[in-house]
Amino acid sequence: MARVVVFGAYGHTGRFVVAGLRERGFVPVLSGRDAGKLDAMARESGLEARPASVDDPASLDRALAGAAAVVNSAGPFAATAAPVVEAALRAGIPYVDVAAEIEANLDTFARFADRARAAGAMVVPAMAFYGGLGDLLVTAAMGDWTAADEAHVAYGLSGWHPTPGTRAAGAVSHRRRDGRRVRYANGRLEYRDDAPPALKWEFPEPMGIRPVIGEFTMADVVTVPSHLPIPEVRTYMTVEAARDLSDPETPAPAASDELGRSDQTFVVDVVVRAGGEERRAVASGRDIYAVTAPLVVEAVDRILTGRTRAVGVVSAGEVFDAPGFLRALSPHISVRGSALGGQEA
């Protein structure tokens, strides 16, 4: 059974990742900066704990020794991604993270693309609800198209109870942008000082038409353009969820079932347009943090079994067979759309 190090294992998303890996037959190795939390989780789970710090490369090397892969679930990724990628490259093992930070993902592509490709290494950033799932849906919706004019990813969340990690990562991104917002248009990122547009989006039933914040930009603007020639990539967020995120009084997610999931639900509605034609793919499920785990675990399994299409720093839609990957996520995520019937690679 392959050992997979989970850096940030005791965090909210990290715990879901650890549980998901165990369910699929992997042996998670618990790692992170807080030795006390690691010890407590190790006693509770019976798993091995290896404390490590991003400021101590030797500790990261010890943590990754003998592992088949590493999953980084410890944000803010502006601080953790590069040191853990470096350690993975030294260890010669694949790296996967769940970063939703636009700037951190851009840094990973810019800093490691050439080195990872030259080494034949696999570095997969944003393998999560934001970034990875949208990229898979856009790629699947494209089908046999080799290019498109625009891609739209609309997030219909019943609410958003952010974790402390989400809040910390958002604060880092806000500072890096000097408070500006960002969008992807005309084939590049644009930083703007004006307010985002207020729009309505017609989600599939039963959600229906909802007010959304247009250009509520998420990591999809990094993952999708990294391998698909689409000059306009826009993301949208339901007003209720955006309001929850911006309210400092919104509590963290609370478990409402035996798996630890919250009762929050989501619909991700993707529309891709080219030359007057339109294609659509839709995913729905429960708990945006919990659903990151099956995305990560499926990615790790496919990497370690050689079901990949590229090396280097690669997004989900580039390295995996998108329709097959999405089908494999059942029963965690329900996916529908005319472009999802392709054969498994």
Side-chain angles (χ1 to χ4, degrees):
M1 292 185 289
R3 288 189 292 178
V4 178
V5 174
V6 181
F7 189 74
Y10 46 75
H12 186 82
T13 302
R15 287 180 175 273
F16 285 119
V17 171
V18 168
L21 287 167
R22 295 188 86 169
E23 184 179 345
R24 289 285 290 272
F26 295 101
V27 179
V29 177
L30 313 178
S31 190
R33 296 161 284 191
D34 192 317
K37 290 181 179 179
L38 282 176
D39 287 343
M41 190 174 181
R43 289 193 299 271
E44 172 190 316
S45 64
L47 296 170
E48 180 185 2
R50 299 180 182 177
S53 168
V54 295
D55 300 320
D56 182 356
S59 72
L60 288 171
D61 292 342
R62 290 191 295 270
L64 271 54
V70 58
V71 175
N72 182 7
S73 62
F77 293 89
T80 68
V84 183
V85 172
E86 292 278 10
L89 290 174
R90 290 194 298 273
I93 62 175
Y95 167 96
V96 178
D97 73 31
V98 299
E101 299 159 48
I102 293 170
E103 294 79 15
N105 287 309
L106 287 169
D107 289 347
T108 299
F109 275 96
R111 181 169 178 176
F112 295 105
D114 292 342
R115 286 174 55 192
R117 189 182 306 110
M122 193 82 67
V123 175
V124 187
M127 192 64 244
F129 178 77
Y130 294 117
L133 180 56
D135 184 36
L136 288 165
L137 289 167
V138 171
T139 305
M142 290 274 289
D144 58 355
W145 289 354
T146 57
D149 300 321
E150 55 193 60
H152 303 268
V153 183
Y155 290 100
L157 275 55
S158 63
W160 190 348
H161 287 241
T163 65
T166 294
R167 291 198 183 279
V172 170
S173 288
H174 186 77
R175 288 194 298 270
R176 290 189 67 175
R177 299 176 195 164
D178 295 324
R180 296 173 296 170
R181 67 181 185 89
V182 62
R183 71 172 186 174
Y184 189 86
N186 304 308
R188 62 185 179 86
L189 288 174
E190 298 177 350
Y191 290 84
R192 302 173 64 95
D193 295 307
D194 58 336
L199 306 168
K200 290 187 182 294
W201 186 272
E202 187 172 355
F203 290 94
E205 294 297 340
M207 180 166 278
I209 298 174
R210 293 292 184 93
V212 297
I213 296 178
E215 300 174 2
F216 191 99
T217 305
M218 305 304 292
D220 312 88
V221 301
V222 179
T223 56
V224 171
S226 73
H227 69 106
L228 294 175
I230 306 177
E232 307 283 330
V233 180
R234 305 291 175 89
T235 59
Y236 309 78
M237 181 65 66
T238 45
V239 167
E240 307 98 303
R243 188 181 298 125
D244 284 346
L245 180 64
S246 64
D247 184 354
E249 300 302 316
T250 302
S256 63
D257 69 8
E258 68 282 358
L259 300 176
R261 298 179 300 174
S262 73
D263 59 8
Q264 176 255 17
T265 59
F266 65 83
V267 174
V268 184
D269 188 19
V270 164
V271 176
V272 181
R273 299 188 179 106
E277 294 186 58
E278 179 177 294
R279 291 178 175 176
R280 195 169 194 171
V282 182
S284 58
R286 177 177 175 181
D287 193 325
I288 64 174
Y289 297 104
V291 85
T292 287
L295 284 158
V296 167
V297 175
E298 185 66 24
V300 169
D301 186 73
R302 286 172 179 253
I303 291 168
L304 295 182
T305 55
R307 291 178 290 160
T308 56
R309 295 177 163 181
V311 296
V313 181
V314 285
S315 63
E318 180 179 11
V319 70
F320 304 119
D321 164 52
F325 193 110
L326 290 166
R327 290 195 300 272
L329 295 176
S330 177
H332 305 283
I333 300 176
S334 173
V335 183
R336 57 193 186 275
S338 59
L340 301 183
Q343 296 300 307
E344 178 77 356

